[in-house]
Amino acid sequence: MVIQQTSSSLVDILRQRRQKLASLIDFPAILWSGSSNPRNFQANVFPFRASSHFLYFAGLPLPNAAIRLEAGKLELFIDDPKPSSALWHGEMPKREEIAQMIGADGAKPMAELESSLADAATIAVQDAATWTQQSQLFNRWVLPQSSPQGIDLELAKAIVSLRLTHDEGALTELRKAAAVSIAAHKAGMAATPKAKREAEVRGAMEGVIIAHNMTTAYNSIVTVHGEVLHNEQYHHPLQPGDLLLADVGAETEMGWAADITRTWPVSGKFSSTQRDIYDVVLAAHDACIAKIRPGVEYGEIHLLAATVIADGLANLGILQGKAEDLVEINAHALFFPHGIGHLLGLDVHDMEDLGDLAGYEAGRTRSDRFGFSYLRLNRPLRPGMLVTIEPGFYQVPAMLNDAKQSSKYQNIVNWERLSQFADVRGIRIEDDVLVTDAGSEVLTAALPNDAATIENLVMGNW
Amino acid sequence: MVIQQTSSSLVDILRQRRQKLASLIDFPAILWSGSSNPRNFQANVFPFRASSHFLYFAGLPLPNAAIRLEAGKLELFIDDPKPSSALWHGEMPKREEIAQMIGADGAKPMAELESSLADAATIAVQDAATWTQQSQLFNRWVLPQSSPQGIDLELAKAIVSLRLTHDEGALTELRKAAAVSIAAHKAGMAATPKAKREAEVRGAMEGVIIAHNMTTAYNSIVTVHGEVLHNEQYHHPLQPGDLLLADVGAETEMGWAADITRTWPVSGKFSSTQRDIYDVVLAAHDACIAKIRPGVEYGEIHLLAATVIADGLANLGILQGKAEDLVEINAHALFFPHGIGHLLGLDVHDMEDLGDLAGYEAGRTRSDRFGFSYLRLNRPLRPGMLVTIEPGFYQVPAMLNDAKQSSKYQNIVNWERLSQFADVRGIRIEDDVLVTDAGSEVLTAALPNDAATIENLVMGNW
């Protein structure tokens, strides 16, 4: 539990958030923080991660707590630590002190929660101990894997509409997460020349995040097999001709995330084929960010990335045809099969615990079109939204060797030309972009992404 | 999932373990590996940790798998990865390949497990998704927080009798965990002079563990408030007069743990009062290790630590009386309130998921005596057992300021003399000791623990 001095500004921020919520719903909401998951025995737990919805309104990662929100008021439910816990966990703040830190209007022991549930809505937390408790207390199923119904759905929609755009309190935290993630990536680049395998680079990067008293916002990807999109293996040796893809982001003590990907040459020098593809991906990245402004459809940004990538690959002779036509038949998706990005906030895929409620504008659903089905965000952009922009190029053997795919694109892909790019298995460039009134601000801009500067960072020339 | 090349020796080791199990039980056993716990949304999970009992017999950390053990045979139940998973997770080995790696006698999809359960025993895993499945399939409660009953209890006892002493396969892994933990502690000491707060030292230590493609076996303690026994806060600044207590251990990819504590001066130099107490704790540590040999009661080792600490504190004028008399009235426990150590193996408190079944000899239960109730191991030592030895000295405000305690020890503690040791909040020295036929072997001996060498390591004179 992180309970350090809190500022009066936190109290103000939290108060504003619950007043906004009160303007959207006319019933009480109860939000639980959750509890730790045991790892291999009860006392050996995974690090506690409070529910993001709880964090948004309560501000502090308090385990085994709940808040009741009604008409702009917050009641905190939490038990005082047992006297014996001082020996093992030290003196912890008492209920009343915590209540003051977060500007609560009342504070009660957990046992009194049961009598405060009438007509209230809630959102399922992720850990089973807590959602079981939620289900029992409400006498209905409250399950993290089910879509909310009734007033729970109304509450979820109201929270989505708040969390979709970030207030100043959120942005302060998001900038901290970005800054530490940038430092981690620089440390990873600097550690590469002496590293013998992926794990060593990961150690250098996560060591920086831990040193800042943060945690990773998701399981890091640090791999020479970037073509495996969610590769969580770190044992491969680093070879001079490899590209290393690192998708690593920090999460602040209060739970706010960053999400950055860089791809760099192990040797400190891109080969000419690697450099060619890198510049195609970077061109897509830059074009997307240039297009971000309020009112623009995020789906259009995705389409732009697809078009720039198709165009770049056509210019390199890998694809044959005009960019627009290539995108029309989804040829880009052979090499760029995922979405251009997603919402970012308290969760790395913000509010994904609510399915597509946050990511998709009301009435829209996922496309089943190849290359579009993985798009996690499909809304017009609004000031205060934070999104990732993460185009990539991958040679996924399972896709390229798939008989159906390769026959479909038999005359579209110049397979012989493609074979000259065998040293490019996976490249992704990902930044965190805030939509502003004027257009956009890249929160992760302090980390260079052009090929020449990346090379210098790896070589230590900085 | 870590599935690298496995050696034929792993197959041999696993085969021996299940043959030993077959000699102890005459019914089948089904052991599940478990599944990942979601963190803040379903796709963002805590790192997978397979059940230790599964790991002991199956060798590999396979998620969502089960094994059926009967008469020395192993049947593996696991589903082949879906074709679509190749894009996200890469090409994974298929069921038959995995079966071969672990020397399975058969391999089936998970759906066939249901028809193989008759008359079988099992052990609850920690994650709710899996223990819910276990309970449903067996049509009885299989709960991690409940003591096993009937044949489940017989199975648990049989597994305890195997896991209590380590075979060569286990020792190879345990030595790897020890070696990496030693490197982590050295890195922590070296990072201290430049570190501004605890988190930076933690980052240096865990960075080393991650770089070796291992994980921490438990949540690290890296603190200037060592008097809080399980302190998991890392935000305190480091002051020149502070002692830093680091209880950090690595866990290998196959799940085997180390558990080391060192305490060092932030400035690189112990004060004379810190040094005095440090040497008392070290004397207790050394005396305990010298006493370890087959047949010795671990409770006697604990009593020896208590006596050496009482004697040392009496010599320093902090306690008044003879060591034996002081221990008789539990005066040592005012400063050394926890047990001298515990079993170590696949779990950092080995097999603690089974309560005291592993730690306590049949017929023995926890004492309610002050200072003895936290003793986690109470058995005669046997060759092949691995235990920690971790005496400590703590000034816990909640204990020393407790009116009942301080009045009870009013004339035993020289409170004025004690006040001169205010710069000693917490010291612990912990090593991992293997019981051998000849006596003992300290697996963590390569990490110095004498005050002078510790100072040199912090100062970089090595």
Side-chain angles (χ1 to χ4, degrees), chain A residues 1 40 88 230 233 347, chain B residues 1 40 88 230 233 251 347:
Chain A
M1 179 159 52
N40 44 348
W88 298 93
H230 280 185
Q233 299 195 320
D347 308 304
Chain B
M1 178 162 48
N40 44 346
W88 298 93
H230 281 184
Q233 299 195 320
E251 180 179 292
D347 309 304

Side-chain angles (χ1 to χ4, degrees), chain B residues 128-426:
Chain B
T130 307
W131 63 248
T132 303
Q133 193 186 35
Q134 290 179 288
S135 300
Q136 286 170 343
L137 284 172
F138 278 110
N139 198 25
R140 56 182 159 91
W141 286 111
V142 181
L143 294 171
Q145 61 272 45
S146 303
S147 306
Q149 304 291 334
I151 56 170
D152 291 351
L153 178 60
E154 282 184 63
L155 171 63
K157 284 180 179 171
I159 290 180
V160 164
S161 83
L162 262 66
R163 288 180 55 191
L164 264 181
T165 59
H166 295 299
D167 56 29
E168 276 309 314
L171 286 172
T172 302
E173 288 286 309
L174 290 162
R175 287 179 205 280
K176 279 189 217 166
V180 169
S181 304
I182 289 168
H185 277 262
K186 287 185 176 171
M189 293 179 199
T192 299
K194 284 192 181 165
K196 292 202 175 59
R197 50 177 192 161
E198 297 159 342
E200 290 170 55
V201 178
R202 181 184 174 216
M205 298 181 79
E206 295 195 8
V208 168
I209 291 171
I210 297 166
H212 284 86
N213 213 11
M214 295 192 184
T215 181
T216 50
Y218 50 93
N219 293 327
S220 301
I221 300 170
V222 182
T223 184
V224 293
H225 287 284
E227 77 279 11
V228 178
L229 298 185
H230 281 184
N231 203 337
E232 290 183 21
Q233 299 195 320
Y234 315 100
H235 64 277
H236 299 108
L238 304 186
Q239 311 285 359
D242 286 338
L243 291 177
L244 186 76
L245 185 155
D247 187 343
V248 176
E251 180 179 292
T252 68
E253 293 174 79
M254 302 308 170
W256 297 84
D259 185 1
I260 302 181
T261 308
R262 288 292 183 272
T263 308
W264 60 83
V266 165
S267 67
K269 195 79 197 160
F270 288 97
S271 73
S272 66
T273 42
Q274 291 169 342
R275 175 70 186 256
D276 284 345
I277 302 279
Y278 189 92
D279 284 343
V280 169
V281 176
L282 186 61
H285 166 278
D286 291 350
C288 288
I289 293 179
K291 189 173 168 135
I292 288 184
R293 68 178 59 82
V296 172
E297 284 284 348
Y298 191 76
E300 292 296 314
I301 307 274
H302 177 73
L303 201 64
L304 176 61
T307 308
V308 175
I309 287 169
D311 190 53
L313 297 181
N315 290 338
L316 291 173
I318 293 173
L319 292 178
Q320 300 172 114
K322 278 178 57 184
E324 286 72 16
D325 301 337
L326 291 166
V327 171
E328 189 71 31
I329 58 168
N330 306 318
H332 66 283
L334 266 178
F335 303 101
F336 171 49
H338 62 70
I340 186 64
H342 48 78
L343 293 167
L344 180 63
L346 278 161
D347 309 304
V348 61
H349 294 167
D350 209 24
M351 298 175 272
E352 194 174 288
D353 65 311
L354 299 172
D356 281 336
L357 206 59
Y360 274 57
E361 187 81 354
R364 296 184 189 176
T365 54
R366 295 257 181 161
S367 160
D368 53 10
R369 181 174 164 192
F370 179 46
F372 288 80
S373 58
Y374 291 124
L375 189 58
R376 295 177 192 275
L377 176 56
N378 189 341
R379 281 184 179 271
L381 297 173
R382 283 160 46 190
M385 277 185 177
L386 180 63
V387 299
T388 66
I389 291 296
E390 48 177 312
F393 170 95
Y394 316 91
Q395 295 200 53
V396 184
M399 283 176 59
L400 297 176
N401 300 339
D402 181 274
K404 198 175 133 206
Q405 298 278 28
S406 55
S407 71
K408 186 172 169 194
Y409 297 106
Q410 189 58 44
N411 301 314
I412 303 298
V413 177
N414 182 335
W415 299 94
E416 197 183 319
R417 178 70 178 139
L418 178 63
S419 69
Q420 295 168 358
F421 292 84
D423 69 345
V424 192
R425 290 195 290 259

Side-chain angles (χ1 to χ4, degrees), chain A residues 69-85:
Chain A
L69 300 165
E70 185 173 26
K73 305 280 186 202
L74 182 152
E75 261 186 321
L76 172 68
F77 293 83
I78 192 169
D79 289 333
D80 275 331
K82 291 180 198 156
S84 65
S85 89

Side-chain angles (χ1 to χ4, degrees), chain B residues 3-12 14-15 18 58 60 62 74-76 78 93-108:
Chain B
I3 305 191
Q4 297 170 242
Q5 192 126 28
T6 50
S7 60
S8 62
S9 71
L10 175 68
V11 169
D12 293 339
L14 299 176
R15 201 163 277 154
R18 51 189 193 255
L60 297 178
L62 309 164
L74 182 152
E75 260 186 323
L76 172 69
I78 192 169
K94 296 231 177 349
R95 181 188 306 119
E96 291 299 335
E97 296 168 71
I98 298 171
Q100 202 174 347
M101 288 178 193
I102 64 173
D105 302 286
K108 296 176 176 173

Side-chain angles (χ1 to χ4, degrees), chain A residues 11-31:
Chain A
V11 169
D12 293 339
I13 291 161
L14 298 177
R15 201 164 276 155
Q16 282 167 22
R17 288 178 188 164
R18 51 188 193 255
Q19 275 158 2
K20 281 188 195 161
L21 182 69
S23 74
L24 296 174
I25 57 170
D26 59 0
F27 47 81
I30 319 255
L31 297 173

